[in-house]
Amino acid sequence: GIQGSPARHTFMATSVFLLDRQCGGRPLQILEIGSWTGSSAFTWSQALITCKNRGSITCIDPWSPYLGTGHNNSETYSTMENALQTDLPYQLFLHNISFIPPEVKVRHIRGHSSDILPLLRDEYFDLVYVDGNHAYDSVVEDLRLSAPLLKPAGILCGDDLEIQAHECDRDFAYENRNVDYLPHPVTGTAFHPGVTLAVYEVLGPVTVCCGYWLMRKSEEGWQGVDLSGLPTIIPDHLPDAMKKNVLETLQRQGAIVSSKPSA
C-alpha cells in the first residue's frame, strides 16, 4: 500500500518530532485526508511512539472508486480502481491499523472529505495531512477546509508535490488539472498537476522535501518550515529493499538518520 517516494515518510515523521518539541510533549492530534491501506498512519504512529507522545490520528477516506478512466488508464490505476470496487483497500486498512500499538489512538471516518471536514472542530489539530483526490478542485477544497482545523503554529502538509507551480508550465498543468499523474512536457518529470496548481493557489511556494510539502499556520499567514537539524527515522514498516533506497536518498541529501529524536 506504499505509494509515491518512500523517502517522504521520513520527513513526515520529522514533522511530528518538530511539533512534539514545539508543544512540550503535549499529546498531538493528527488528521490525515486519504489513508488508502494505512501506510501513512503507520508512519505517524511510529513517530508519535518514538517521541513517547500519546497523541491520536484521525483518518478520513471514502474508500470508494474515484479515479475513473480517461487519462488515468494505466495498469496501476486499473488495479487500484478494481480493488476499490471490491472494498479490499478498506479491509486492508482495518487489518493494518490493528497492529498500531494501543498507546496511539487511531480512529477513522469513512466518507468524503468535503462532507466530513466542515463537521470537525476548528483549531483542534496540530497537523493536517492532505493526500486525497488529486484533482485540482478537490485539492483546493481540502486545503481550504483544512486550514481552520489547525491550531495556531500547526502544520498543513501533503503528498505528491513533485513540481511547484513556479517551476512548471502552468498552462499545461491547468489543461491537465484533473489528470492524476503525467510527465511534464519540458523536464519529463512525472507530477500531479492538480496538486501543483492547488497548493500554489492556496499557499504559494511551500517547503518541500522529496515531494512531501509542509507549511506552518501563523497570524501573519503561511510560513515555511525548517526541518534541518532534526533527526530523521526510516519507518519500520517499509520493506527492507525500500529502506535501503530511502537511506541512500537521505545520505545524498545530507539528512541525519537517528533512532530517536534528540532532546
Side-chain angles (χ1 to χ4, degrees), residues 11 13 32-33 46 57 66 70 72 74 86 115 126 139 143 150 158 161 201 211 219 221 255 261:
F11 297 106
E32 69 167 25
I33 302 165
Q46 184 176 344
I57 307 164
Y66 71 98
N72 301 324
S74 69
T86 67
D115 297 324
D126 298 282
V139 183
L143 294 175
L150 274 172
L161 185 63
E201 178 178 318
E219 292 182 358

Side-chain angles (χ1 to χ4, degrees), residues 18-259:
L18 175 65
L19 286 169
D20 178 73
R21 181 179 298 180
Q22 170 185 303
C23 298
R26 154 180 74 70
L28 297 174
Q29 308 298 327
I30 295 173
L31 171 67
E32 69 167 25
I33 302 165
S35 297
W36 191 234
T37 59
S39 178
S40 53
F42 264 111
T43 295
W44 302 125
S45 67
Q46 184 176 344
L48 290 170
I49 291 168
T50 302
C51 293
K52 296 181 173 57
N53 186 294
R54 301 184 69 86
S56 69
I57 307 164
T58 301
C59 304
I60 297 175
D61 199 307
W63 287 284
S64 62
Y66 71 98
L67 292 166
T69 55
H71 294 285
N72 301 324
N73 58 1
S74 69
E75 182 178 352
T76 298
Y77 288 110
S78 296
T79 300
M80 291 173 63
E81 198 75 349
N82 289 337
L84 286 165
Q85 294 281 357
T86 67
D87 210 36
L88 178 60
Y90 178 59
Q91 299 304 322
L92 284 173
F93 170 81
L94 294 178
H95 171 78
N96 288 337
I97 64 169
S98 71
F99 292 95
I100 291 177
E103 55 262 41
V104 176
K105 182 179 179 181
V106 181
R107 66 169 180 164
H108 73 280
I109 308 172
R110 189 172 187 177
H112 293 282
S113 55
S114 57
D115 297 324
I116 296 169
L117 294 176
L119 305 177
L120 301 180
R121 190 188 313 169
D122 284 354
E123 297 190 356
Y124 179 77
F125 296 98
D126 298 282
L127 183 147
V128 178
Y129 176 70
V130 179
D131 189 25
N133 189 330
H134 294 340
Y136 167 76
D137 288 339
S138 294
V139 183
V140 168
E141 184 173 47
D142 282 345
L143 294 175
R144 289 181 171 161
L145 291 175
S146 296
L149 306 179
L150 274 172
K151 293 175 182 174
I155 289 178
L156 181 62
C157 58
D159 200 5
D160 297 313
L161 185 63
E162 296 83 6
I163 306 175
Q164 298 207 54
H166 61 277
E167 302 169 332
C168 77
D169 181 339
R170 289 191 213 175
D171 290 337
F172 174 81
Y174 189 77
E175 289 170 5
N176 294 279
R177 62 192 180 280
N178 293 319
V179 178
D180 189 83
Y181 193 56
L182 80 171
H184 189 275
V186 177
T187 66
T189 301
F191 77 121
H192 295 76
V195 176
T196 291
L197 291 174
V199 168
Y200 188 79
E201 178 178 318
V202 178
L203 303 170
V206 298
T207 303
V208 62
C209 307
C210 295
Y212 167 70
W213 63 267
L214 66 163
M215 293 292 278
R216 187 191 299 278
K217 183 179 181 180
S218 73
E219 292 182 358
E220 294 75 30
W222 297 101
Q223 298 179 339
V225 181
D226 184 6
L227 296 180
S228 62
L230 288 162
T232 303
I233 62 168
I234 300 176
D236 291 337
H237 71 90
L238 300 181
D240 289 342
M242 202 172 279
K243 288 179 182 178
K244 180 180 179 182
N245 178 268
V246 170
L247 181 59
E248 291 171 353
T249 300
L250 296 176
Q251 289 173 338
R252 285 196 303 271
Q253 295 197 0
I256 300 171
V257 179
S258 173
S259 61

